[in-house]
Amino acid sequence: MNTELFNGKAEAYAAARPGYPDAAIEYVLSLVSPNAVFADIGAGTGKFTREIAKRGYNIFAVEPNTDMLAQLASLTDEFTNVKIISASAEKTTLPDSSVDVITCAQALHWFDPVAFMDECRRIGKPSCIVIAVYNNTPGGSSISHSKNSTEIFFKDPTVREFPNPILYTREKWLTYMTSHSHAPLQSDPNFDAHIAEMNKIFDEESSNGFLQKNIITKVYSEVSYGRSF
């Protein structure tokens, strides 16, 4: 099940996955009213949730994975405006017509698109805006994930791009490359070979002890006028 793919990887995810640039967050907020209520679906460790919460918005953070939930609670424990919900994207347990904004950061491709669309229609107010955010690393799988999932889910989204360059030390690079769903856990017989390969990439692509990835953060948004998205 998709909800189990990040077991044992949440700590690495929280430590080394890229965050989201301020310009992208401010753009998202420019699309909503000052008193908007958010539902961040597939909130993971809370990297996106935290950015919305620290700007004062009330936000439901919905996440099904137990390991991710522990990191999410730790990352957002200072915010009284965050309510964590242990649930899936397709069955959030949120009340009908309860949110103004539905976000999913680095997560839409994990959802059943038809069931999630139905759930968005249920929990969103009539003019709810749905927003998908992706950090696209050159050569990375997130490029195809974001393209395929948004083409299936949205009808005619507005798309904006924001530069989000990341500098990795060797340690952070290795941690990052163990945070992916397909990466072997330390207990896996293939773990050492995976780390050796990641060290090789770092040696080949780094300069002065840093490996730079020129990530592009893409924001897809569509308003559900009449709940027709």
Side-chain angles (χ1 to χ4, degrees), residues 149-209:
S149 61
T150 56
E151 285 182 353
I152 292 171
F153 183 79
F154 293 110
K155 284 187 176 181
D156 186 25
T158 299
V159 185
R160 295 289 184 272
E161 297 185 355
F162 303 88
N164 189 17
I166 303 292
L167 280 177
Y168 293 98
T169 62
R170 183 183 298 273
E171 180 181 6
K172 191 169 183 178
W173 170 250
L174 294 178
T175 302
Y176 169 66
M177 294 307 294
T178 61
S179 73
H180 293 80
S181 61
H182 54 78
L185 294 170
Q186 196 163 1
S187 58
D188 191 302
N190 297 315
F191 181 79
D192 288 346
H194 174 70
I195 293 299
E197 181 63 25
M198 296 308 105
N199 270 314
K200 180 181 178 182
I201 291 172
F202 188 90
D203 290 337
E204 291 173 349
E205 299 185 11
S206 64
S207 176
N208 297 318

Side-chain angles (χ1 to χ4, degrees), residues 35-41 58-62 92 94-103 119-130 224 227:
N35 61 347
V37 176
F38 280 74
D40 190 26
I41 311 299
N58 289 322
I59 182 166
F60 295 101
V62 179
T92 65
L94 295 176
D96 293 355
S97 301
S98 57
V99 299
D100 303 285
V101 192
I102 297 169
T103 59
E119 186 69 348
C120 289
R121 289 173 176 146
R122 186 186 70 79
I123 68 174
K125 296 177 184 179
S127 292
C128 178
I129 185 169
V130 183
S224 58
R227 303 189 182 187

